[in-house]
């Protein structure tokens, strides 16, 4: 797989959800979501707090089961894969990618191979040390390899989380607000590393992101959620309109084209009445 998007023949979608519903008692966190994700595509999932983004990711990664509807991964029901099979296909990177427990960087990154190993931790024909070294070097983590995770900055820890996922070599990567605690430079760096990796491997990426400006620059497609329902689905450039942002987030936006690429970028107007009070 070298091309990020399937150009020749129609392939089975990497991920497909049909009428996906998840309720918690009376609360309907997701309502009849239908969505198809082509192999190699990069989707952003956006929406206000509580709109169901994390719930959706939990269903896609198999840690949670739907109340109704289906998740298919490469044409097979998610529930029909064993846990290990599923984690060979799908990797998850959380907001705070890794707990700062007493492992070293190298140890944590090597754990990324678990889904490929037998119960004795063996894997035929693969030199885990070598794969790990390569990824550590690539992410500039080699000098930190023997450092304990709790002695790293947030930005470095998030890079270790990415290294672990890269060593895992999944077909699909799910990210839940991976840049939330990073400063501007690390946010951009993180997204660039993802973009490069995707370019090389064709990995399918689904990322819940809060920063709509970064989202517009990196994700070609968007799933917009509001109150557990699909509010928009398709090309980011088409979906990121003032009207939709106003409706979904209840703010007063101004959209401008990015001077480099022309993709929509967002400014916020202050609440007119409150601003006038000051
Ligand atoms: P988001 O990630 O978009 O902020 P979530 O998917 O976390 O939203 O939550 C969607 C809704 O489902 C929220 O109202 C949340 O309180 C509710 N919810 C999520 N998980 C649970 C749970 N395990 N039990 C009860 N309610 C939940
Ligand atoms: Mg969430």
């Amino acid at each position: 797989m070298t091309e990020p998007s399937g150009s020749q023949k129609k392939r089975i979608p990497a991920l497909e959800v049909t009428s996906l519903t998840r309720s918690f008692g009376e609360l309907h966190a997701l309502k009849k979501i239908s969505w198809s994700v082509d192999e190699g595509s990069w989707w952003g999932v956006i929406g206000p707090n509580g709109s169901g983004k994390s719930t959706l990711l939990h269903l896609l990664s198999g840690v949670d089961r739907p109340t109704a509807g289906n998740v298919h991964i490469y044409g097979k029901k998610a529930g029909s894969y064993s846990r290990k099979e599923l984690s060979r296909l799908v990797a998850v990177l959380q907001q705070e990618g890794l707990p700062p427990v007493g492992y070293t960087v190298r140890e944590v990154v090597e754990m990324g191979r678990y889904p490929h190993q037998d119960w004795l931790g063996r894997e035929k024909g693969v030199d885990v040390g070598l794969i790990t070294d390569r990824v550590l070097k690539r992410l500039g983590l080699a000098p930190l390899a023997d450092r304990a995770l709790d002695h790293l900055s947030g930005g470095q820890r998030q890079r270790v989380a990415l290294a672990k996922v890269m060593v895992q070599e999944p077909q699909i990567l799910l990210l839940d607000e991976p840049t939330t605690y990073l400063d501007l430079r690390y946010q951009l760096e993180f997204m660039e590393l993802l973009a490069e990796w995707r370019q090389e491997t064709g990995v399918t990426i689904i990322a819940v992101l809060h920063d709509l400006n970064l989202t517009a620059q990196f994700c070609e497609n968007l799933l917009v959620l509001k109150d557990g329902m699909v509010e928009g689905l398709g090309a980011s450039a088409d979906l990121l309109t003032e009207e939709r942002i106003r409706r979904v987030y209840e703010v007063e936006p101004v959209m401008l084209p990015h001077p480099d690429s022309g993709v929509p970028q967002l400014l916020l107007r202050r609440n007119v009445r409150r601003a006038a009070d000051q």
Side-chain angles (χ1 to χ4, degrees):
M1 220 179 352
T2 49
E3 288 293 314
S5 54
S7 42
Q8 313 89 6
K9 55 180 193 277
K10 190 85 190 131
R11 282 181 280 193
I12 301 171
L15 236 154
E16 192 161 37
V17 307
T18 337
S19 222
L20 194 66
T21 297
R22 179 65 168 108
S23 307
F24 300 102
E26 294 292 292
L27 180 99
H28 305 299
L30 283 178
K31 295 171 215 167
K32 298 198 168 179
I33 307 285
S34 292
W35 177 35
S36 178
V37 172
D38 284 341
E39 185 173 58
S41 57
W42 187 342
W43 284 80
V45 178
I46 63 168
N49 291 334
S51 56
K53 306 180 296 296
S54 296
T55 301
L56 176 62
L57 252 54
H58 292 152
L59 296 175
L60 299 183
S61 67
V63 303
D64 188 20
R65 293 289 169 94
T67 308
N70 288 307
V71 176
H72 282 90
I73 297 173
Y74 285 101
K76 265 177 71 179
K77 259 194 175 177
S80 69
Y81 289 98
S82 75
R83 181 125 291 285
K84 211 160 181 180
E85 280 173 337
L86 200 58
S87 49
R88 277 198 290 271
L89 281 176
V90 183
V92 183
L93 203 155
Q94 300 291 341
Q95 188 170 49
E96 287 174 282
L98 297 163
V101 283
Y103 294 106
T104 66
V105 168
R106 170 182 295 283
E107 285 166 341
V108 168
V109 174
E110 283 184 350
M111 285 175 201
R113 282 318 285 183
Y114 278 4
H116 299 274
Q117 293 167 345
D118 65 18
W119 61 281
L120 285 173
R122 292 174 311 198
E123 189 180 354
K124 268 206 197 99
V126 171
D127 185 339
V128 177
L130 196 71
I131 298 181
T132 306
D133 280 341
R134 222 179 276 147
V135 170
L136 288 175
K137 194 158 172 234
R138 159 137 194 225
L139 296 189
L141 291 167
L144 304 176
D146 298 317
R147 197 170 302 171
L149 218 56
D150 41 355
H151 295 158
L152 299 182
S153 72
Q156 290 169 330
R157 262 214 300 278
Q158 206 61 340
R159 241 187 302 151
V160 176
L162 182 60
K164 182 179 175 215
V165 160
M166 285 166 94
V167 160
Q168 191 175 335
E169 298 181 324
Q171 305 291 309
I172 301 169
L173 174 60
L174 309 176
L175 305 111
D176 199 349
E177 300 184 18
T179 58
T180 300
Y181 295 122
L182 304 182
D183 71 22
L184 282 179
R185 181 186 139 204
Y186 280 124
Q187 283 181 29
L188 185 62
E189 181 194 84
F190 186 88
M191 298 298 279
E192 295 284 13
L193 286 168
L194 269 184
E196 261 175 44
W197 184 46
R198 169 179 173 248
Q199 191 67 36
E200 264 169 44
T201 61
V203 64
T204 306
I205 302 181
I206 297 172
V208 172
L209 294 165
H210 267 312
D211 186 319
L212 299 186
N213 290 335
L214 277 180
T215 304
Q217 293 206 67
F218 286 92
C219 309
E220 64 230 0
N221 300 299
L222 278 187
L223 171 69
V224 187
L225 291 178
K226 183 170 168 66
D227 301 328
M229 287 182 286
V230 175
E231 210 282 338
L233 189 73
S236 342
D238 299 335
L239 288 178
L240 290 171
T241 60
E242 289 180 0
E243 202 228 332
R244 177 170 283 102
I245 303 292
R246 188 181 299 121
R247 196 167 58 230
V248 172
Y249 289 95
E250 294 167 24
V251 293
E252 202 44 62
V254 180
M255 301 307 287
L256 296 171
H258 192 291
D260 293 344
S261 57
V263 300
Q265 296 286 286
L266 167 80
L267 295 176
L268 293 175
R269 284 187 206 282
R270 289 187 61 183
N271 180 317
V272 180
R273 212 174 306 140
R274 256 187 245 149
D277 286 346
Q278 295 193 356

